[in-house]
Amino acid sequence: MKIKVTSPGRVNLIGEHTDYNGGYVLPCALDLTIDLFFEKKSNKSYVNTDLGYSMSFDVNTAFKKSDNHWENYVLGAINELKQIKSELSNFSCSIKSILPSGAGISSSSALVCGLIKGLSKLNEINLNNYEIINLSRNVEHKYIGVLGGIMDQFTIMNAKRNMAILLN
């Protein structure tokens, strides 16, 4: 089974930093995206990116946070899914992005949402958008150290073409 997930970036038009302080925001998705290509593997997992990062591991081995910061997005997504289904399939994931990292347009949230969506499909874990949003926020809080709200994840999972989202 091969799965492709496309995850967009996000820009906020009104209300920066008010989503986690109880205020309104007006975000919309961008046409800059991260594409993630998943496939089941039998004995090891492999993740590689078009930025030259790669990692390999057994998905069912316990692991801690990595010293390589970007790996924690992958490990966090896996650990959060293991809270729902303890045994996951090893996989390969190739990540291709036209969404610049570090530009303030939610590349990390797009990556995590895409990872959780793709891995849940690959492992036949039936998650709705709200569940993916919460798992993704957990990854950012626990594994990355970003204590934000859900604006990024909500926009990435629910945005429609040429539409903004009024979120409180």
Side-chain angles (χ1 to χ4, degrees):
M1 171 189 329
K2 293 183 180 184
I3 295 170
K4 177 186 178 193
V5 174
T6 298
S7 199
R10 178 268 328 147
V11 65
N12 190 30
L13 304 172
I14 298 172
E16 204 63 38
H17 299 290
T18 58
D19 64 316
Y20 50 87
N21 289 315
Y24 290 97
V25 290
L26 188 65
C28 62
L30 299 170
D31 59 358
L32 300 172
T33 60
I34 297 174
D35 290 324
L36 302 96
F37 303 89
F38 296 88
E39 188 172 4
K40 281 188 179 183
K41 296 293 179 186
S42 58
N43 56 352
K44 250 196 175 322
S45 291
Y46 303 93
V47 178
N48 64 63
T49 74
D50 57 357
L51 297 174
Y53 302 122
S54 63
M55 62 189 292
S56 65
F57 52 91
D58 181 336
V59 76
N60 290 304
T61 301
F63 33 75
K64 300 180 267 185
K65 286 175 85 171
S66 173
D67 291 333
N68 293 324
H69 181 70
W70 81 271
E71 292 179 355
N72 290 316
Y73 294 100
V74 176
L75 301 177
I78 292 166
N79 279 336
E80 287 300 306
L81 284 170
K82 284 173 128 182
Q83 304 301 311
I84 298 167
K85 183 176 181 180
S86 60
E87 291 287 321
L88 301 176
S89 295
N90 278 303
F91 64 95
S92 66
C93 179
S94 179
I95 302 169
K96 312 237 181 269
S97 179
I98 59 169
L99 181 62
S101 62
I105 52 178
S106 302
S107 60
S108 61
S109 292
L111 174 61
V112 174
C113 286
L115 286 165
I116 291 172
K117 186 173 184 176
L119 290 171
S120 65
K121 285 183 175 186
L122 198 69
N123 288 281
E124 299 175 2
I125 303 170
N126 196 16
L127 299 176
N128 63 37
N129 284 357
Y130 185 73
E131 291 166 317
I132 294 171
I133 290 165
N134 283 324
L135 290 172
S136 180
R137 183 190 54 202
N138 289 348
V139 172
E140 299 253 356
H141 285 196
K142 295 179 191 177
Y143 302 93
I144 309 305
V146 175
L147 300 177
I150 63 164
M151 174 184 61
D152 297 349
Q153 297 88 347
F154 188 92
T155 305
I156 290 161
M157 295 304 301
N158 294 300
K160 305 284 186 246
R161 186 171 200 77
N162 298 321
M163 302 286 284
I165 298 171
L166 180 61
L167 180 63
N168 182 7

